[in-house]
Amino acid sequence: MDNEERVTGMNHDPAKLPDHERAYRGLRDMVLYGELAPGQPVTIQGLVDALGLGMTPVREAIRRLTSQGALVFKGNRRVEVPEMSLEQYRELAFARRAVEPELARRAVENLTDDDITMLSRVDAKVDEAIERGDVRGYLEHNHLFHARLYALSGADVLIGISEMLSLRSGPSLRVMLGRHGTANLPDMHREALAAMRARDAEGVAAAILGDIEQGIASVTRSLTAADA
């Protein structure tokens, strides 16, 4: 994925992507946005049918996602999103606290007014999804806000780590939202955007840290209750 595509979150013509990349992105989104529930096995053939692609590109997508820890192989040609323990989630949360604010801090060096306008529009979609109780829309646009901001950092190694952390932690967020909905769901995107306009790198990093801390706290409570 080139830098322009990371920033825009799209490519000019998705239909022209190779089948293996279309399969990966389609399956990745199914994991990120809760179409595959943790612990619920799905057949490889079922994924082939859902994605409308051949067995070979779907198997390659599965291989990539298992290497990222987002899927695990089960018996009888089945895969599943792994269920998350509280201790595993705490490890992911530790890594997110280290990586994501740093990506946000670095992004400020490359921010343009057009970037801020674009991020503001994405955040408006986040707010609309919260108001409508649209869990899928919230997950998609919240992830997009963070991914587009982090892409501006140019820190490819850290971006790759962040993408893996999203794939591992996203399903737990979806489970929490499925239980509690989006009512009163907080975020600190407005504070982050205000700091971006001021070109305040430390302020952006602090707002992003506060934003992810709110999500971490909600998911931790949900996992703690499930383990009780």
Side-chain angles (χ1 to χ4, degrees), residues 5 11 13-22 25:
E5 188 178 330
N11 69 80
D13 188 353
K16 293 182 179 179
L17 286 171
D19 282 353
H20 69 87
E21 187 63 24
R22 290 171 60 203
R25 294 187 190 196

Side-chain angles (χ1 to χ4, degrees), residues 19-80:
D19 282 353
H20 69 87
E21 187 63 24
R22 290 171 60 203
Y24 173 73
R25 294 187 190 196
L27 188 51
R28 176 198 63 188
D29 289 353
M30 291 172 74
V31 173
L32 275 174
Y33 307 140
E35 293 176 48
L36 299 176
Q40 179 181 352
V42 60
T43 65
I44 296 175
Q45 183 60 52
L47 293 175
V48 169
D49 294 341
L51 293 167
L53 294 166
M55 182 68 73
T56 297
V58 171
R59 283 187 178 276
E60 172 62 16
I62 291 170
R63 185 197 64 77
R64 288 175 66 182
L65 287 162
T66 54
S67 72
Q68 293 173 298
L71 291 174
V72 293
F73 278 108
K74 308 299 288 186
N76 299 321
R77 297 184 179 182
R78 294 173 181 267
V79 294
E80 68 178 41

